[in-house]
Amino acid sequence: LLRLAPAYHSLLKEGKEIELVPQEEEIADIKWVDVEDYFHQDLWMSSPLYREMNGALLEAARNSHKESTELRSGGTISPDTSQAIGYVGKKLPIGWRP
């Protein structure tokens, strides 16, 4: 994920390239986290919106893994057995943004 400072916006509009320099200290400090542990952090769980979004993402990832496993073992995925997963419009309790 990358967010450029506003100073770079004019360069992009002019079609110029921006050199991206890896931050070695940040890369060295990366720690992999199990997806379940990440989604179930207190920060996300206390927000109705993030709980809902992360739940949909987790369900989509599980379904994708299940379908990939099925295909690798020689099976097929038909539209009748494949699940449609994603976001739906609904009213959530008032929450906050982390």
Side-chain angles (χ1 to χ4, degrees):
L1 182 58
L2 172 69
R3 181 175 181 198
L4 294 174
Y8 294 107
H9 294 193
S10 60
L11 294 173
L12 290 175
K13 287 180 184 175
E14 295 170 12
K16 295 184 180 175
E17 289 191 24
I18 298 169
E19 181 183 358
L20 302 177
V21 181
Q23 301 298 308
E24 299 299 331
E25 318 78 56
E26 292 179 11
I27 293 170
D29 198 37
I30 291 174
K31 293 176 179 58
W32 290 103
V33 178
D34 180 78
V35 69
E36 297 270 351
D37 293 339
Y38 176 80
F39 285 153
H40 291 102
Q41 293 178 75
D42 290 340
L43 175 69
W44 308 129
M45 295 307 292
S46 56
S47 166
L49 175 61
Y50 281 95
R51 253 193 339 266
E52 195 71 28
M53 290 186 340
N54 286 342
L57 289 170
L58 188 56
E59 188 176 349
R62 286 179 181 149
N63 189 57
S64 177
H65 182 272
K66 179 180 154 192
E67 288 181 354
S68 294
T69 302
E70 179 68 25
L71 291 172
R72 279 194 304 272
S73 67
T76 59
I77 304 298
S78 73
D80 297 334
T81 60
S82 184
Q83 290 182 292
I85 298 172
Y87 299 121
V88 296
K90 66 167 122 176
K91 186 175 183 175
L92 296 173
I94 294 177
W96 57 274
R97 292 189 315 192

